[in-house]
Amino acid sequence: MDSKMLRLTPTKSQSDKRQYRWLKLQNELEAAASLCVRCGHLWNPPQVQGLAHFLEHMLFLGTEKYPIENSFQAFVKENGGSLNAYTSYEETCFHFEVGKDSLMPSLDRFSQFFICPTFTQSATDREMNAVNSEFEGNRNSDSWRYTAISHSIAEPSHPYSQFVVGNLKSLRDDPKDKGIDVRAFLIDFYNKYYSANVMKLCVLGNETLDELEAMVTPMFAPVVNRNISKLYPTHHQFFPHLPEKVFDLHELLKRPDYQPHRIVFPQEKCTPGWYNMVPKSDTNSLRLSWPCKTTLHEYETKPERYLGHLLGHEATGSLFALLKRLGWVTQLVAGNFGNVADVSMFCCNVALTLQGKDKVKEIITMIYQYLNLLKSQPPQEWVFEELRAMMQMDFNFLEKNSSGSHTRELSSRMQQYPPKDILSGPYLVHDWDAGSIDRLLNELTPENMLIIVTSKDFEGSPGLKAEQWFGAEYEPVKIDGDFFEGLKHLEPNGQFSIPVPNPFIPKDFTLNPEETTPHPQLIVDTPLLSLFWRNDNRFNMPKTHLMILVRPEISTKSDVDIVQFMSDESYSSPMNAAMITIFAQLCSDSLNEELSYYAELAGLAFHLSFCFEGLQLEATGYSEKVGVVVEQIVERMSKFQVKEERYRILKEQIMRDWDNQKTENGTRRAQSLCMETIFEKYWSSQQKRDALTDVTFEDLQRFIPKLLGRLKVVSLVQGSMRKSHAVQLLNNVIHSLNGPKPLLPAQIPERRIIKLTKGCNYYHLSNISNEHDKNSTIWSFYNAGIKSLRLCVLVELLANIMEVPLYNTLRTQEQLGYIVTSLHQSHVNTIGISVVIQSHHTAPTGLDARVEAFFSSFKESLDRITEEELQSYVKSLRSIKSQKFHKLGEEIGFNWLEICSREYFFDRKKKFVEELSRVSKSDLVELYDVMILNRETRRKISWHVYGCDREISSLEELMTSLSGNSEGHKELRRGPTQRGKIEGGPTVQLIRSGQEYLFRRELPYYPIGEKKE
Ligand SMILES: [Zn+2]
């Protein structure tokens, strides 16, 4: 082989300062820390479905060189990193991030995954439970259920039709019945398909490229190259005439006789097809898709981008604009979703309104009318040129990704693109090729369509059948012959047109020449406006990010008929919260056709939303145009006239979204219950939903002018924008708000959290709302008190030290469930540690007992920790905190929090690192004792969410479980906040769902320190 071919520099973005080298090792494993193996679900043997995913889990559980389970995870965490893995149809990808000095030892441990995993019998038997818990956790998710249905629709002899996640049935019970030794299958699978020639490795480090190459080459050289084909094992059963070993997929795809999409979804057998599906949540949707030959090999012309751009356009004349005006849909997306098994699914997915769900045939008809408009004229080169310019601009000013996501993405792209295009492949288009557009367009026909309609309306229909793994209910529908024939001969629809040229594409990419400021500076400070500005050219981006918070006064005193809960405090009612939410959404909605959709395409994104303090507008994009967009939005907001029809549709949609949060999983539920319980003011989605029910169109009309009458604007402008330009822009914003009056300082809303009584154990008990979800969850929070810099440092460090041992004990050893995690958590001005566990086989009281047992045993580990070990944790946390922000958006988020909390501690991270060097072991042991272990001093509150098949424990049962016996308990109080005392032990208090306010009445709040403004 020509030695020049062994090294290559891929095309990179002009803003990208990293250096790259693509190289080919002797064993054909390519080096660039993420390793991607071309072996995924489609490689699963039919006897052990879910094996590829199970293997992904097993590689973390010991290698010959490093036999201890999860030892790689422990090492990476100790060194400031994180790791994960995923399995998809065609690949399994393992990736990690680590502190910059630990790359070499991490890579050494990582490489062993692909050289000598042990697959012990004991780990094999246990880890199936983790996969099963993962399955149980996703069982009620509609997107998983939809995917499972799409598998059942496909050709049954194709591996695409199989179960992908795996559970105890597919991994343990079914194989056992057939006398299959799963561990032997696992080892055989690994030996067959984990071959160097189908692995792509991407390594990123601070070393020079030569050093990296010298480090990586010997480490991965022992990975065996079995020289296997890149096609999944059953491929030759479907394409017997193809060469035995295929290494170049792009070449293969160019062959006209290679049509895998026709094998996965054979025409006349699978398409045209219509299925109705019953969802778990209350959503109505239509997914129209066309299985097409993959466009992977046409990445230089990207015909799917052109078609997706036009079919999914939202401006005047578009398909979406008309469907929205008719009140039938709330969202439409079109494009290529998922290249699986060499199939491109070109889709047009719409979210339906209540009215729209009865208009499915009409909507399908209109989709074809729009496609006919595109077919009636040759592809437009100017549309392509505009797209090309926007994609080139995106690529030139690509924001830097975190090292972890960057390597993960690249290792996967290395499977898809030739080396020179690994960086630019997904972004750039080279040649105008009208032929490829026409080819794709001609595949989008009624004969080739797959329709899936989702709605609760289909519940109880006699033709329903259950998909075998998830139990997802669906029904095949016979397509009405007249309707189908009609689709082939449609009249043109005069309301459709091709979009006009985009007015927001920027031309000026120069950077602001003013001096860079280290932190946001307060440059305007009046009763109406606080403006923070930072000129920031570190990222070389001609972009600016703006945050604008409008804190309104929402006086409700005079409107007895509107507001039920009367109060002169701003956010005191769920109805106000609901009305601001709907106002924000109506405004955004009204801007879409003429303004925001075009702006978004040109790289200008904005988001108007309800937040605790009022209305928040976030805008980001190229500095030349971002101000223009912001001014137009505020102008619209201040003169906003609600249209009754849109009000009705959005209200229905928001209420449904809030309602659907009832089907959220246990972890999400525990999280929102946490807010509801300990925050002084927090309205749950259910409360806002109930309040919105009574809001009429007239109520909202009266509410809006009041909303913006008295207010305070707080803003942060950061990026590449002149100081004078920022001041002018915000002055224009205030001006267009029609001369508002300033808020009084005392009217600025404050958030407070409850102060738990020391030594009392609070338990909030509730059922999961989803009546089919068997998972139980506990979320326990141990509050350490008001956060000082020192307390934050200690809590975060302790959380880091505890994380891996907790995971190791409660998940890997005890197999309590898939979700086992601990984290430091800040609530308003306090900080503490939370532990979260979700399990489908153990009740919350049992989980709580296991956590307590772990805490007792962890005490010894903490006592035994050496100074050297402590320093390695300190170093790890220091390396995390010393990391610079990778992109503008991350830093804005951080600064904005400092501004909204009015702490203005912009160099928090730097001070944190300084404080870290002053931590001693005795500080940590003391904190652990006071915050977690000592039942007299700790402030613990625990949310127990019971799975659907469990009864909530009584106080007596809970006390028995806590004390280990049923003797000597005393009940101190009855009622919704029932309380008891364990003899010689702690007090226990129960809080029942819906009674959180009663509990809060009894307790004080943490005081809020003095704040500026
Ligand atoms: Zn998994």
Side-chain angles (χ1 to χ4, degrees), residues 181-252:
D181 175 355
V182 173
R183 181 170 173 259
F185 251 71
L186 186 71
I187 295 171
D188 181 57
F189 188 81
Y190 176 85
N191 286 338
K192 255 192 205 141
Y193 305 124
Y194 273 52
S195 162
N197 77 308
V198 293
M199 292 180 183
K200 307 288 171 181
L201 173 68
C202 176
V203 178
L204 184 153
N206 274 17
E207 293 80 358
T208 64
L209 289 173
D210 288 334
E211 286 163 352
L212 280 178
E213 186 177 339
M215 184 196 298
V216 168
T217 311
M219 266 186 217
F220 286 84
V223 178
V224 179
N225 181 8
R226 298 172 216 282
N227 213 23
I228 56 170
S229 161
K230 294 197 172 161
L231 302 177
Y232 44 92
T234 46
H235 210 88
H236 289 278
Q237 173 192 328
F238 302 109
F239 299 102
H241 55 291
L242 292 176
E244 186 59 36
K245 287 198 171 164
V246 174
F247 298 108
D248 192 332
L249 290 173
H250 289 270
E251 281 306 314
L252 184 62

Side-chain angles (χ1 to χ4, degrees), residues 135 138-141 144-145 148 163 165 467-472:
F135 163 73
N138 292 321
R139 193 178 193 144
N140 289 303
S141 136
W144 276 99
R145 296 168 84 86
F163 177 42
V165 189
E467 177 279 329
Q468 69 161 323
W469 298 99
F470 288 78

